[in-house]
Amino acid sequence: MRDHHAEQAELRGDCARCFGLCCVALPFAASADFAVDKAAGTPCRNLQEDHRCGIHARLRQKGFTGCTVYDCFGAGQQVSQITFGGQDWRTGPPERARRMFDVFPVVRQLHELLWYLTEALALPAARPVHTELRKALAKTEELTGGTPEELAGLDVAAHRQEVNVLLLRTSELARAGTKGRKKDRRGADLMGARLKGADLRGASLRGAYLIAADLTGADLRGADLIGADLRDADLTDADLTGAFFLTQPQLNAARGSAGTRLPGSVTRPGHWTAQV
């Protein structure tokens, strides 16, 4: 069986092999997540000459919480070292830098799909669609190896839609074997909802808005969390064992504790409280 945890480890950002692309290519606006405005293609004021963040250990204290919840799924090192062969955007012509910044978000989306497909293939219940999932994984991997020109012209939205059909089927199969009522809350507005101790086993929370929701002690075992917005959601003592399509950025945006039970594909955020 594929070691999906090892493969997903390769789909996490490795800043040491990247040219700080997320700190340059992406825009952000002054808000609760970012202390200042920054335009796309403009280096963040905290980016150093070695492509490292000058305040990495103090991002939250300095008002850059948004940076701490972001992950490129390994797209940074892919674009830096593979797509552009280790050529630094600082030292090349401006058009190369612009192309790197254009390609980076495309590859980020492809790598996110690789994360989901790798996890889907690790779900025994999804065996009926494993053949299709493997084909989709191979196709997505092939796309990530395209030239800068091919990647810039890729209709990534169309490819995402193709993959999403398979991920939806995977979700249905995986949740069918979960005890509970398997609630369908896809895209639901649950902002600030009081869900303390709620039985959400096997629920579909795909794209649900759970911003600042109280999920203290909630049972989320076997739930589908793809695209769920967990910003400031309270997962203290919640049980997410077996929850799938949960990413590290989603978890980093939430609140939790040492008592929060997590699937093996993610790690406990360092800013979570240590109280059980």
Side-chain angles (χ1 to χ4, degrees), residues 128-241:
V129 291
H130 275 192
T131 298
E132 291 86 351
L133 287 168
R134 282 191 288 269
K135 290 179 180 178
L137 180 68
K139 180 178 180 180
T140 305
E141 288 176 335
E142 181 181 0
L143 290 174
T144 65
T147 65
E149 293 72 24
E150 290 170 339
L151 287 164
L154 178 65
D155 187 349
V156 70
H159 183 63
R160 285 188 71 100
Q161 183 56 39
E162 290 179 12
V163 172
N164 191 51
V165 172
L166 283 174
L167 297 180
L168 276 168
R169 180 59 180 146
T170 297
S171 176
E172 292 167 356
L173 291 167
R175 292 185 297 108
T178 305
K179 295 180 180 179
R181 287 180 288 175
K182 307 176 187 64
K183 297 177 180 177
D184 186 357
R185 307 306 299 271
R186 184 180 180 186
D189 184 352
L190 298 170
M191 291 173 37
R194 298 177 181 177
L195 296 168
K196 183 175 182 179
D199 182 0
L200 294 168
R201 287 174 293 171
S204 174
L205 292 164
R206 299 171 65 89
Y209 296 95
L210 288 158
I211 302 168
D214 181 4
L215 289 161
T216 303
D219 191 343
L220 290 152
R221 287 177 290 174
D224 179 354
L225 292 166
I226 193 168
D229 194 334
L230 296 173
R231 283 178 293 169
D232 206 33
D234 191 348
L235 296 172
T236 299
D237 296 335
D239 190 350
L240 289 88
T241 306

Side-chain angles (χ1 to χ4, degrees), residues 47-69:
L47 185 65
Q48 302 177 132
E49 289 298 316
D50 62 356
H51 303 296
R52 299 299 184 92
C53 174
I55 61 168
H56 187 265
R58 297 170 288 127
L59 283 167
R60 287 182 174 272
Q61 297 91 317
K62 292 292 186 178
F64 288 86
T65 301
C67 297
T68 69
V69 304

